Amino acid sequence: MTLRSTLDFLLYDWLGAEALAARARFADHSRETFDAVLDTCERIAREKYAPFNRTVDTEEPHFDGEKVILPQATYEARKAYAESGLLSAAQDYEIGGMQLPYALEAAANSFFAVASISIGSNLLTSGNANLLMAHGTALQKEVFALNEFNGRWSGTMCLSEPQAGSSLSDVATRAVPDGEGYEADPLGPRYRLTGNKMWISSGDHELTENIVHLVLAKIPGADGKLVPGTRGISLFIVPKKLVDTQGNLTGVRNDVALAGLNHKLGWRGTTNTLLNFGEGKFPVEGQAGAVGYLVGQPGKGLACMFHMMNEARIGIGMAATMLGLAGYYASLDYAKNRPQGRPVQGPKDAAGAAAVVKDAAQPQVRIIEHADVKRMLLAQKSYGEGALALNLFCARLVDEQHSGDAAAADEARLLLEVLTPIAKSWPSEFCLEANSLAIQIHGGYGYTRDFPVEQYWRDNRLNMIHEGTHGIQAMDLLGRKVLMENGRGLQLLAGRINATIERAIQVPALAAHANALGAALQQVGAATKAAWATGQPADALANAVPYMQAFGHTVLAWVWLDLALATLADDAALAQPASVGRMGSMRYFFHYELPKIGAWLQVVSTRDATCASFPEDAF
């Protein structure tokens, strides 16, 4: 199966994306226009991205003292992407968008991710612009968001600081009013920012004429002190180069300086930076301090930023998924062509005991004929294609949230709340494992730079870390998402899973799997209650990561069972290799993966304190 055929099945046979054209927002579209978008993106990814994946890994970004230098291929790829219209694909016609369903946009972007994840910086640009469309003023939307959507400018989000890491309560960047009349600036209340931001993807480059930074900072109180915790965090637009109300560059460089480039294990084609705001290297009107424009209300910045963070988290899940699939495709090709070893024969020895015998006179077989290699390929396939289905399902929920009736939109919103930590973290862990298995299939060659699988692993290792580390996502899931609105989100998800179980249990080939999924769902529910039995967050959250692993495996088992139902719906296609592959992947996941949840949930249910209580001096 190719990526395109997989996407076609997921979009049209499983998610029913073609039916979205019946809704007013998507009325100008059809299967034909959807396919045209996928065709275009597949072509650009093949021509402008895939050939240069190794180039951007070996020719790392460097700073010449004035500007960041990137390989020429990066500029050409970014230009082709911007000209395709994908930056604003889901936006309104009135602002130059195509009003495509988000599910189609996500599917189209998967081609670029599988071709070369680190060439583009488009994820943050779209998220930045979408945040401004939701929370910015009319002029902020027109000047900043629209110029990001049309490709002139790019965007970042600046949260982490060297001393704070993921602890946003400890943000120390300050924002003070920029003189008399600061509140009347047409671009928004104008402040001067000082502070340092770390781990800023695409924080500096020459790919676009301007970079729009969205920066979290605190406005000091009357006593000059910063408000402790997250309550005092505000959000600001801080452009690298200052602009007027028409979106024209004024020729004035803002006081934002590149302090250094981080040298990364992978994902090297995208700059990752330390930025200094307001240090005085580029004084504006003779004064140190980066000029920034307030977005929304003072002290409400984190709520605004989460609009972008949640979108980015789903995007990271998709990135991890596509890297997992890239490794799968590479190792599948290698396994089909690499001869090594001979078939195992099993005659009995003189005593009648079974003996493993290999006839050295026989020709070697391709390694795909070995059962253990098939196991590793099946694991990769079930992880990658299952994660792709989950992420596209989440994208389809976004469409429901924006174009469905009120009840359906609210249900989609709450399901997304519960599923977002899974959509980000499950692929980040298990598609990384898929990359490890791809290296294993290549043997010693996989550990060299002669084959691409080592780069896929290095690129993917980032995804468990950024946009909220694995542990943070787990605490968000068990500590907030499954409890919110009195557990209604968890109940909605359980309702969806039970609906699939009820359908599948009527199909003889799926009945046993349906029962296994039902038992897993009960285990997750019981473990959720047991974790919170004492009412103490420290007790419940000590084993949040095993909980998330079990929860994620249960969700993926549900996805695979639902995909099996869609596969069996087409009798004519059942004998086709793609259908056989999906059914085999479903069986693999239920037989080899789903049983793992018992061990994970055991420590959750008993509130095992082994890790939490372990004394520091015993390490």
Side-chain angles (χ1 to χ4, degrees), residues 9-10 14 385 389 558-567 582:
F9 174 81
L10 294 176
W14 184 51
E385 292 182 8
W558 164 54
V559 167
W560 271 115
L561 190 60
D562 215 59
L563 292 174
L565 285 166
T567 301
R582 275 191 295 273

Side-chain angles (χ1 to χ4, degrees), residues 285-300:
E285 297 179 354
Q287 179 183 348
V291 173
Y293 307 98
L294 181 68
V295 179
Q297 298 300 310
K300 304 294 184 183

Side-chain angles (χ1 to χ4, degrees), residues 92-113:
D92 296 345
Y93 292 134
E94 289 75 12
I95 65 169
M98 293 189 278
Q99 286 189 200
L100 278 172
Y102 182 62
L104 261 294
E105 179 183 326
N109 276 316
S110 70
F111 291 112
F112 302 103

Side-chain angles (χ1 to χ4, degrees), residues 174-216:
R174 301 169 66 94
V176 299
D178 187 23
E180 187 176 350
Y182 77 95
E183 73 281 356
D185 193 298
L187 290 175
R190 191 181 65 252
Y191 288 74
R192 292 283 186 141
L193 279 71
T194 55
N196 313 105
K197 294 292 182 177
M198 187 70 163
W199 312 120
I200 311 307
S201 296
S202 303
D204 203 0
H205 54 74
E206 301 295 319
L207 295 171
T208 55
E209 68 176 39
N210 205 0
I211 302 174
V212 180
H213 302 293
L214 286 177
V215 183
L216 291 181

Side-chain angles (χ1 to χ4, degrees), residues 415-428:
L415 282 169
L416 273 169
E417 289 281 6
V418 175
L419 287 174
T420 293
I422 298 299
K424 189 273 182 185
S425 286
W426 194 92
S428 297

Side-chain angles (χ1 to χ4, degrees), residues 545-559:
V545 167
Y547 176 84
M548 183 171 67
Q549 290 169 316
F551 195 114
H553 259 52
T554 302
V555 168
L556 265 292
W558 164 54
V559 167

